[in-house]
Structures are given as structure tokens and as C-alpha cells.
């Protein structure tokens, strides 16, 4: 199974959308492996968003993301990174497709509800930056056997 990191951003918290966002991931069948509220400090955000440092919106992005705490999650599932990115939708809220989280709840470029890791290398780096090993929980969820086929579970086990 693959892990990805999600940040439920300050705009979603101010707008009382945390439950709505978490509910979508749970209902899809993704497993919550870690979840916490954390005030993201500018130094951590500068590292997280280093690839945007030359963009005009960078300064505002750091201010917005450090304005109030965020909710951080590690989600696990088969192909979790692409599954979550599809559910999140494209970056700009006004462009994001209806049915996606940003498409349904955002009309902004900046205040777009959620961040999700873009690929496996980035997911590993983001999880390592923002979570301690002991904050990520290893447990079998009761509905696991109903979420994946025997083949999907078997192939995953064979890969280990
Ligand atoms: P995220 O997926 O966290 O990655 C970078 C963030 O920068 C993005 O979500 C938005 O919050 C923000 N962002 C991207 N494009 C713009 C933009 N054109 N203007 C302002 N903020 C932006």
C-alpha cells in the first residue's frame, strides 16, 4: 500500500470544512494512518513550499498557511497518491472540476482547502518532515477485506 500526506489548510478550518474533507477520504476507502492539528511554522513552510519561492504569491502563501493551525494527515491505500490527487482536483479552485474537493469548496487560487503530495518522492519527504515515526499507526481496519479484492491484497503482499 502507498502513503500520501494531506494538509487541511487554514481556510478549510475557518470555514468548518474539516469533517467534510475527512469524510470523503474515509468513504472512498482510504485508511487514516496519522492525523494531528499543528501550527505550521514559517521555517517548515519555507521548506515545504521551496519550489514556489520565486513565485509572486510565495510571501502571501507562507502568511496564509501559518495564520492558524492546519490538520495534517497520512492516508494509506492502493495508489493513494493519485487517488487523493484526483479527489482534490486542480490547484485553482475556480478551475477545479465539480465533484472534487477544490471544485466543490473553493473559488480561490490560494485558499484551496487542501494540499496533497504530488508524487511518491515528495510524499515520503513531506511525511518525514512533518510526522514522527511514532505518530504513524500500524493497524488493520475492520473493513479492509471489503475494500480490496483478493488479487489486490495478494499482489500487494507479494511485493513486500
Ligand atoms: P498547494 O497544492 O498547497 O501548492 C502550492 C500552493 O500555492 C497552492 O496549493 C495554493 O495554496 C497556492 N497557489 C498556487 N497558485 C497560486 C496563485 N496563482 N496565487 C496564489 N496562491 C497560489
Amino acid at each position: 500500500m502507498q502513503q500520501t500526506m494531506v494538509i487541511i489548510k487554514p481556510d478549510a478550518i475557518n470555514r468548518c470544512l474539516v469533517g467534510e474533507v475527512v469524510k470523503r477520504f474515509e468513504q472512498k476507502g482510504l485508511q487514516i494512518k496519522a492525523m494531528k492539528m499543528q501550527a505550521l511554522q514559517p521555517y517548515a513552510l519555507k521548506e515545504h513550499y521551496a519550489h514556489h519561492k520565486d513565485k509572486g504569491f510565495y510571501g502571501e502563501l507562507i502568511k496564509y498557511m501559518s495564520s492558524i493551525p492546519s490538520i495534517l494527515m497520512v492516508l494509506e491505500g492502493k495508489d493513494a497518491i493519485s487517488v487523493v490527487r484526483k479527489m482534490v482536483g486542480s490547484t485553482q479552485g475556480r478551475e477545479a472540476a465539480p465533484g472534487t474537493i477544490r471544485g466543490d469548496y473553493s473559488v480561490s487560487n490560494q485558499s484551496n482547502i487542501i494540499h496533497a503530495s504530488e508524487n511518491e518522492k515528495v510524499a515520503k519527504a513531506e511525511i518525514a518532515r512533518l510526522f514522527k515515526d511514532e505518530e504513524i499507526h500500524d493497524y488493520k481496519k475492520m473493513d479492509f477485506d471489503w475494500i480490496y479484492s483478493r488479487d489486490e491484497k495478494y499482489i500487494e503482499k507479494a511485493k513486500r
Side-chain angles (χ1 to χ4, degrees), residues 2 7 11 15 18 26 29 31 37 41 48 68 77 79 82 84 86 88 92 129 135 140 157-158:
Q2 189 177 59
I7 302 175
D11 53 312
R15 293 176 55 203
V18 175
E26 285 194 294
Q31 184 175 6
M37 184 173 235
Q41 301 302 320
H48 179 77
I68 64 165
D79 302 323
S82 67
V84 168
K86 280 184 206 138
V88 166
Q92 323 296 343
R129 182 180 308 125
E135 291 175 324
K140 185 177 175 190
K157 277 188 189 137

Side-chain angles (χ1 to χ4, degrees), residues 9 49 52 57 61 64 91-92 102 109-110 112 115:
K9 297 180 172 185
Y49 284 127
H52 288 306
F57 58 79
L61 175 62
Y64 142 72
T91 305
Q92 323 296 343
R102 287 168 173 163
N109 292 344
Q110 175 188 268
N112 60 1
H115 164 86

Side-chain angles (χ1 to χ4, degrees), residues 2-5 77-86 116-121 123:
Q2 189 177 59
Q3 292 187 346
T4 188
M5 199 198 69
K78 200 166 166 61
D79 302 323
I81 294 169
S82 67
V83 168
V84 168
R85 294 278 291 188
K86 280 184 206 138
S117 309
E118 65 184 84
N119 59 46
E120 192 148 24
K121 187 173 167 220

Side-chain angles (χ1 to χ4, degrees), residues 30-92:
L30 291 152
Q31 184 175 6
I32 299 170
K33 300 288 290 202
M35 188 170 175
K36 63 181 176 180
M37 184 173 235
Q38 186 167 315
L40 294 171
Q41 301 302 320
Y43 75 87
L45 288 164
K46 283 178 185 164
E47 200 180 334
H48 179 77
Y49 284 127
H51 54 298
H52 288 306
K53 73 172 183 318
D54 298 326
K55 307 256 172 70
F57 58 79
Y58 178 72
E60 282 302 312
L61 175 62
I62 303 296
K63 269 193 232 163
Y64 142 72
M65 287 296 294
S66 56
S67 59
I68 64 165
S70 292
I71 305 275
L72 280 57
M73 301 172 77
V74 176
L75 296 172
E76 186 175 282
K78 200 166 166 61
D79 302 323
I81 294 169
S82 67
V83 168
V84 168
R85 294 278 291 188
K86 280 184 206 138
M87 291 175 73
V88 166
S90 59
T91 305
Q92 323 296 343

Side-chain angles (χ1 to χ4, degrees), residues 122-135:
V122 169
K124 286 197 166 111
E126 290 181 347
I127 292 168
R129 182 180 308 125
L130 293 167
F131 285 90
K132 299 184 186 115
D133 284 350
E134 62 267 28
E135 291 175 324

Side-chain angles (χ1 to χ4, degrees), residues 4-24:
T4 188
M5 199 198 69
V6 155
I7 302 175
I8 305 177
K9 297 180 172 185
D11 53 312
I13 292 173
N14 274 316
R15 293 176 55 203
C16 307
L17 291 171
V18 175
E20 191 57 42
V21 171
V22 173
K23 184 178 83 176
R24 287 185 180 217

